[in-house]
Amino acid sequence: MWKVAMSGEVGKAVQSVLEQVNQAAARRPKTLPAVPPRLVAVSKTKPPEMIVEAYRQGQRDFGENYVNELLDKASDPLILESCPEIKWHFIGHLQKNNVNKLLGVPNLFLVETIDSAKLADRVNSSWQRVRGAGSQRLKVMVQVNTSGEQSKHGLPPEETVDTVKHIVSQCSALHFLGLMTIGRYGYDLTLGPNPDFQMLLSRRQEVCDSLKMPLEEVELSMGMSNDFEHAIEVGSTNVRVGSIIFGNREYPNSAANTPNPSPLPSPAPSPEKTSKTVSEEAAKKMKHLTVSEH
């Protein structure tokens, strides 16, 4: 059970991660768009009190992987009263039968996991029905499976451009914000830039070339607790960080209640140390590497 005595720890962690985010952004090559990275605090399995504490430290963007959990938290009286400017990101796999429920979430800001034209169509029609024709367009990202792992959701990289074109031309209630990937977990950055991140960079270039969009208008959501600094260094504008802000997740023992594998796995021991060491190694390599946008 979360205790009030721990509340200060969440605040310190938010400030520490924000500092790391800003430092990583400063290390980006000047050839990349100078878009300040957005920190999404992933609050999966954590109580409303922890979210409120992070909010009090200035954190506004929060991410959840499961529709029911997001709906419960976003509708919680404590959060509704204490966090009026909260922005909820849905970062889990979205099943079509949960679309209406998700779109009813108060303060829903961004759906990061559109992985097919059919899902985009469903979200588009549901948003018009749920929120009305005069409402603001819903921000969405297209999820790309850059690692090719069957355990990961997301569309095949070669379908990225056509899917984005479909959303831009056929889904009038949606606002295409960018591309998202999970990538392979545990990549050794001493081998060079993460190829999954490089893949997303190249797909963004293709999207921008095809749709005549400026690079800075297409965001990249990539990077989690174990690799967010490197992700920012190579161009991420949206990082999803949970465990080093809120601590490791605690799931019920019941197998029936245990969630499916998520986009944010439990981190390796001492993620802060690992992340720092890896980032230093990556920074050294970055001096000798030109980050390719092609």
Side-chain angles (χ1 to χ4, degrees), residues 200-242:
L200 205 65
L201 282 162
S202 67
R203 294 301 166 183
R204 175 174 69 173
Q205 186 68 55
E206 290 177 5
V207 166
C208 290
D209 289 346
S210 297
L211 279 72
K212 304 294 185 287
M213 300 173 75
L215 280 179
E216 59 269 19
E217 288 186 10
V218 180
E219 291 203 32
L220 296 176
S221 176
M222 56 189 194
M224 299 183 289
S225 283
N226 61 312
D227 57 9
F228 71 91
E229 289 174 284
H230 170 65
I232 291 170
E233 287 169 7
V234 299
S236 179
T237 62
N238 188 89
V239 291
R240 311 178 301 272
V241 178

Side-chain angles (χ1 to χ4, degrees), residues 25-288:
R27 293 194 293 268
R28 278 196 293 217
K30 302 303 179 193
T31 53
L32 289 170
V35 179
R38 180 192 299 108
L39 172 62
V40 179
V42 181
S43 45
K44 184 173 63 171
T45 79
K46 299 302 178 182
E49 290 86 355
M50 276 185 149
I51 295 167
V52 171
E53 182 59 33
Y55 185 93
R56 285 175 179 154
Q57 293 298 317
Q59 180 63 28
R60 292 294 179 267
D61 293 270
F62 292 83
E64 289 287 340
N65 291 69
Y66 301 102
V67 173
N68 287 339
E69 186 174 0
L70 172 54
L71 185 58
D72 287 347
K73 287 178 183 174
S75 306
D76 186 277
L78 177 63
I79 289 179
L80 287 171
E81 180 182 351
S82 306
C83 311
E85 297 175 359
I86 198 167
K87 298 175 181 178
W88 288 109
H89 295 231
F90 184 70
I91 60 173
H93 178 56
L94 178 57
Q95 296 174 314
K96 291 187 181 71
N97 61 342
N98 278 329
V99 167
N100 286 345
K101 188 182 292 185
L102 173 65
L103 300 190
V105 166
N107 297 306
L108 180 65
F109 176 72
L110 173 61
V111 178
E112 297 197 18
T113 49
I114 300 295
D115 59 5
S116 71
K118 284 185 177 180
L119 181 59
D121 287 339
R122 175 69 66 89
V123 172
N124 181 67
S125 59
S126 294
W127 184 253
Q128 290 174 320
R129 189 168 59 251
V130 171
R131 298 295 174 108
S135 63
Q136 280 192 323
R137 290 185 298 162
L138 174 66
K139 296 178 179 67
V140 299
M141 286 183 167
V142 169
Q143 181 178 1
V144 184
N145 185 348
T146 52
S147 64
E149 295 171 278
Q150 290 189 341
S151 60
K152 299 282 197 305
H153 293 288
L155 53 79
E158 62 271 16
E159 296 179 14
T160 305
V161 172
D162 285 344
T163 304
V164 173
K165 280 183 178 177
H166 178 84
I167 291 172
V168 172
S169 63
Q170 304 297 321
C171 300
S172 60
L174 306 183
H175 172 61
F176 169 68
L177 198 65
L179 305 177
M180 178 267 210
T181 194
I182 296 166
R184 193 179 302 275
Y185 183 72
Y187 173 75
D188 182 359
L189 289 176
T190 62
L191 300 175
N194 187 324
D196 295 332
F197 295 169
Q198 295 300 304
M199 169 75 78
L200 205 65
L201 282 162
S202 67
R203 294 301 166 183
R204 175 174 69 173
Q205 186 68 55
E206 290 177 5
V207 166
C208 290
D209 289 346
S210 297
L211 279 72
K212 304 294 185 287
M213 300 173 75
L215 280 179
E216 59 269 19
E217 288 186 10
V218 180
E219 291 203 32
L220 296 176
S221 176
M222 56 189 194
M224 299 183 289
S225 283
N226 61 312
D227 57 9
F228 71 91
E229 289 174 284
H230 170 65
I232 291 170
E233 287 169 7
V234 299
S236 179
T237 62
N238 188 89
V239 291
R240 311 178 301 272
V241 178
S243 54
I244 58 176
I245 292 176
F246 298 111
N248 290 331
R249 300 195 178 87
E250 296 177 13
Y251 293 113
N253 291 328
S254 167
N257 291 329
T258 303
N260 294 324
S262 74
L264 212 150
S266 297
S270 303
E272 295 89 344
K273 290 183 181 178
T274 305
S275 177
K276 187 175 181 183
T277 304
V278 163
S279 180
E280 287 171 354
E281 287 288 337
K284 289 176 187 173
K285 283 187 173 289
M286 288 295 289
K287 291 179 181 178
H288 307 289

